[in-house]
Amino acid sequence: MAVEEEGLRVFQSVKIKIGKVAVKKEDLQKYHGKDTWFQLQPVSADSEVQGKVHLELRLSEVITDSGVISHKLATRVLECQGLPIVNGQCDPYAAVSLLGPSRSEAKKTKVKRKTNNPQFEEVFYFEVTRPLSYTKRQFDVEEEDVDKLALRVDLWNASNLKFGDEFLGGVRVPLRVLGQAGVHDAWYFLQPRENGGKSVKVDELGSLRLNIVYTEDHVFPSEHYTPLRDLLLHSANVEPVSASTAHILGEVCREKQEAAIPLVRLFLHYGKIVPFISAIAHAEINRTQDPNTIFRGNSLTSKCIDETMKLAGMHYLQVTLKPIIDEICTEHKPCEIDPVKLKESENLETNRENLRHYVDRIFNVITTSGVRCPTVMCDIFFSLRESAATRFQVDQDVRYTAVSSFIFLRFFAPAILSPNLFHLRPHHPDPATSRTLTLISKTIQTLGSLAKSKSANFKESYMAAFYDYFNEQKYADAVKNFLDLISTSGKWDQKSIETPIMLKEGFMIKRAQGRNRFGMKNFKKRWFRLTNHEFTYHRTKGEGALCSIPIENILAVERLEEESFKMKNMFQVIQPERALYIQANNCVEARDWIDILTKVSQCNRKRLSTYHPSAYLNGHWLCCKLSADTAPGCTPCTGGLPANIQLDVDGDRETERIYSLFSTYMTKLIKMQEACGSKSVYDGPEQEEYSTFVIDDPQETYKTLKQIISAVQTLEQQHTKYKRDKFKKTKIGSQEHPIGDKSFQCYIRQQSESSTYSI
């Protein structure tokens, strides 16, 4: 919209509501998991209603002076709940009308100020006249049948604006609900005003395509799920894993994602996610023929790892990427490097430099973030690396690509591309910023892939030319060091099978540990080397170790206060018998060593909760003055990084969702049973209708399927009983189950059934 202002045309943006899509709750299941086109409906204040109203109607007979029997209707408006707030206020009142062929009497309650849960407790009387069936006399009042009348109650917001009061919703109650008893007491959902919308043709507004995902869970007490839950949690121990309950769920679901979401949450809740993913990943790797296609498909393994990274890695993503993403979205620096899309005011070289600067910074924050990677992700990456390296022993890079295909391709790159989907930004970026993030994401993805020919990975020549900036060995080395660190397992029972990985090395100054009580405690320069197995120091690089500290013996890694030795940048590696005091070359290097040592030792069972921030000198601790060198620490350990991520997961609810999936795909479970039978009997070519199932061991798979079907059928019976009992107990018209559009007929039927029962 253009506005003339002192000779200038000022453009203002005006938001206009085009239309809306409204889906009733009872219809949501009908559209679950489907792409559906919905016609846009007109947006009208009269159609935007919410809340419910409590009414009591009583019809009584009155004999008039002339001997005519008339009926008087007493209508009590008791209260409302959940009325909408209009323009920051809600001052409601009710308008009550008796509707008929020749009637439209209206009465109003008092206005209740500043509440959307008003208590009215007001009664209104309406005269309803009906002659007895045997009476033949004519009356002055028009004959009426009570069953043809209706009561209308509208809720309004008393507004001080010149536009008048706002409609909040209403109900229409046919008097036939009174029945023989003549009394009706019920809650009603407020409904839109009839013909309240503007006369706009629906086709003129267009349509909107939506994919609705709707779940409604009725969760039983935990013991009901024991059989199915035990089958699921035992999945990692089943040989082969393709015969396990969890793997079968992935086989029968239409989309692997359907199975992955509840499975990951359930296994995370019970601490079983690492062995389960390790088992299915190992099986998938063994089925893969080409190392270049490892984890390329949307398999159950890849979907489960994706979901685990989303749940366990969200905080890691926040602390790693959010600051730089916020900066990029705020600065709006031009980064377009496609000559065709370049604006006249932009310079190609300047844009390349801007983009290179951003890529460098994001690459650095990612490759130096390994110490913050959650332990559960590290353990999964360790398993992927070991399985891939064992399967493809000739390919030296496969242990890296197996991990980078997830951490770069499916974690960091998508988060950079769409930061709003990973809670890094509140909204989708503007087009220019989105283009910048796309270019950064492409480059980071390629840097992390460690492909042999990087330039060949780009279809666009301008991207290939830009990537030449990063065609240096230091980038590949940084990626490998990062992948080595995050694929290091924190579990000591796996160290025996794990090849030691060098994580960090360099010269530092250490104070002699004084293994001899009277030995000289001086400072010497030594070459330090850290692997995921041990921390050692040497006289110089390449020589044998003078001292080796197994990682499991590191109880804490903390800074050492400067006053201890009047030296800066010191830290201590605390062991069961003594502490090793080390001075780094600078504060940055000290922080790096503390972080990485903390990372590799954070799962140690005997980690300390307290420590001494100062040294033990001259017979006492400088910090707390205690004389015993074995005295417990006086200061809480900084804790380093969390060993794992605590998630708010309801294990029973996830098991219920898995039951729902099995129930939905019961026909596929039965077909899979048939496929097992076919494979067991016939050794020839597999029938086409069974070819979609992965069945490595027909007998074991059939056995598991039989157990699944039995557990699901038992739960199905319990659900049927629950629904039957709930329906018997449900009173339509109560506060918990108000009468709405579709429940009115059910209410009439329920009343009719109860009347018949009483007879």
Side-chain angles (χ1 to χ4, degrees), residues 235-254:
S235 294
N237 302 321
V238 175
E239 287 289 344
V241 73
S242 60
S244 68
T245 303
H247 194 278
I248 288 172
L249 179 65
E251 289 297 296
V252 298
C253 284
R254 186 181 61 176

Side-chain angles (χ1 to χ4, degrees), residues 316 320-321 362-370 408 412 444 482:
Y316 171 44
T320 304
L321 286 185
I362 287 185
F363 179 81
N364 287 332
V365 297
I366 290 174
T367 54
T368 57
S369 69
F408 280 101
F412 283 123
I444 292 294
F482 169 68

Side-chain angles (χ1 to χ4, degrees), residues 24 32 195 407 421 464 539 581 633 663:
K24 292 183 180 293
H32 169 68
N195 301 320
I407 194 69
L421 299 182
R539 194 177 304 277
Y581 300 132
S663 180

Side-chain angles (χ1 to χ4, degrees), residues 89-92 112-117:
Q89 60 135 21
C90 187
D91 298 329
K112 300 294 181 181
R113 299 289 178 184
K114 297 180 180 179
T115 177
N116 64 337
N117 298 305

Side-chain angles (χ1 to χ4, degrees), residues 271-282:
K272 302 274 190 178
I273 191 65
V274 175
F276 169 64
I277 289 183
S278 297
I280 59 176
H282 183 73

